Amino acid sequence: MNHRSPQPLALEGDLSIQLHPSRAGARLARELAAQWLADQDVTRDVADDALQVVAELTANAALHGRVPGRRFQLALRLTGAGRTLRVEVTDTRRERLPTAPAQGPASDHESGRGLLIVDALAGRWGVETGSVPRKTVWAELDLVPKHGWPGHGGPSGLAQGTDEEKKPLPAPPLPPHGRAHPVG
């Protein structure tokens, strides 16, 4: 197995995998998360938000948490009796703890919005430090809003137990017609 091969670590029902800290590793994390979410019968709206959170946190791990020769870890699990989706991304740059930005970057900046996006999509997020040099950035998405908990009516974040037809998650967008797809 080479340094670019993913290394699954999951317990049954959870997704936990170590990936190369690169754009390719972050992209693979999103693809694996999409499949896992589809297998969990998570609704399309929740899956879209979760995939954006995965994309932002894994991109940050690949960019800001990268240490040569060390991988980052993605973990997805349902908690709280299946009412919450927890996304965790662990890297080995404990000295680089993210903080919630007070405001977004200037409109002409191409980066710096990742945690603002996570903050907007997730119900909660934060950072935990582990044994040196580990840090985990986590986010939780509510699958069942409080007003929609069993016995209270309202929509659920899970498609289970509904008559809703399962729809596949959307494919990534294609480049505009007549233009080459970027490589990288």
Side-chain angles (χ1 to χ4, degrees):
M1 182 177 294
N2 66 37
H3 73 283
R4 293 187 184 267
S5 299
Q7 296 183 4
L9 305 169
L11 300 172
E12 189 173 335
D14 294 342
L15 171 68
S16 182
I17 190 162
Q18 289 185 351
L19 298 155
H20 189 264
S22 63
R23 286 183 182 179
R27 185 173 48 247
L28 180 57
R30 187 177 188 281
E31 292 169 4
L32 293 169
Q35 183 59 54
W36 185 84
L37 290 165
D39 291 346
Q40 302 304 311
D41 290 330
V42 174
T43 63
R44 186 178 207 139
D45 289 342
V46 172
D48 288 346
D49 289 352
L51 290 175
Q52 188 64 48
V53 168
V54 168
E56 298 301 336
L57 295 183
T58 58
N60 283 351
L63 180 64
H64 304 295
R66 182 181 185 146
V67 173
R70 298 205 176 154
R71 299 169 180 270
F72 72 86
Q73 181 174 326
L74 168 68
L76 299 175
R77 65 182 53 87
L78 296 176
T79 63
R83 292 185 173 136
T84 303
L85 170 66
R86 184 169 174 102
V87 177
E88 297 177 348
V89 178
T90 302
D91 65 48
T92 54
R93 293 294 300 265
R94 183 177 177 173
E95 76 280 5
R96 297 189 78 179
L97 297 176
T99 57
Q103 62 184 22
S107 61
D108 60 341
H109 285 111
E110 292 184 13
S111 63
R113 293 171 183 81
L115 291 177
L116 288 172
I117 292 169
V118 170
D119 189 57
L121 297 176
R124 296 153 300 286
W125 74 273
V127 182
E128 297 172 354
T129 55
S131 58
V132 174
R134 282 178 37 143
K135 80 163 178 285
T136 299
V137 182
W138 58 268
E140 293 181 338
L141 290 91
D142 295 321
L143 299 178
V144 180
K146 288 185 180 181
H147 69 277
W149 285 12
H152 293 87
S156 168
L158 292 175
Q160 298 171 350
T162 69
D163 294 331
E164 176 183 318
E165 181 181 328
K166 274 179 67 175
K167 298 174 186 151
L169 294 174
L174 296 174
H177 188 63
R179 296 179 65 192
H181 195 55
V183 177

